[in-house]
Amino acid sequence: MLTVEMTKDMLHIVTEICIVVTSISIILLLYRAVVGPTNPDRAVALDTIGINLMALAGLIAIYLVTAQLNDVILLIGILLFIGTVAIAKFLEKGVIIERDMD
């Protein structure tokens, strides 16, 4: 039967493995963002880096047994959404802010 101490140890081990895998994923996505053959590939890589940063902050919060990083996760999500909209608009029209003075 699993004791509470064994469960905590197992949670820490699994969390450490997930942190390492997510970090490796971020490194590979940084390569894709720099070398990506097209601009949409770079945009998708940057968007996925943001999602992985949110996951990494969540995993660190689980590992440290704290709820203090929840605000950081929400902030990354909001900035990620705004950045994704800006990149999509730039890729579609070539400008982010239109300055038509008609």
Side-chain angles (χ1 to χ4, degrees):
M1 186 133 176
L2 289 176
T3 64
V4 174
E5 195 64 34
M6 288 175 58
T7 305
K8 286 182 182 180
D9 290 339
M10 191 181 322
L11 180 65
H12 279 287
I13 292 170
V14 170
T15 307
E16 288 172 357
I17 292 170
C18 290
I19 288 172
V20 169
V21 170
T22 305
S23 300
I24 292 170
S25 174
I26 289 173
I27 291 169
L28 293 173
L29 285 166
L30 282 172
Y31 173 77
R32 176 55 61 199
V34 172
V35 180
T38 62
N39 285 334
D41 289 333
R42 290 183 177 104
V44 170
L46 288 174
D47 194 35
T48 311
I49 287 171
I51 292 170
N52 281 339
L53 284 175
M54 289 174 61
L56 193 61
L59 288 168
I60 291 172
I62 291 170
Y63 186 77
L64 297 176
V65 189
T66 182
Q68 299 295 323
L69 294 177
N70 289 345
D71 295 337
V72 173
I73 296 169
L74 289 173
L75 181 65
I76 292 171
I78 292 169
L79 292 175
L80 182 64
F81 174 73
I82 294 170
T84 302
V85 170
I87 290 173
K89 188 171 182 184
F90 177 75
L91 289 175
E92 182 181 340
K93 296 184 179 180
V95 294
I96 296 174
I97 300 173
E98 297 175 18
R99 299 190 183 261
D100 290 337
M101 300 299 242
D102 291 339

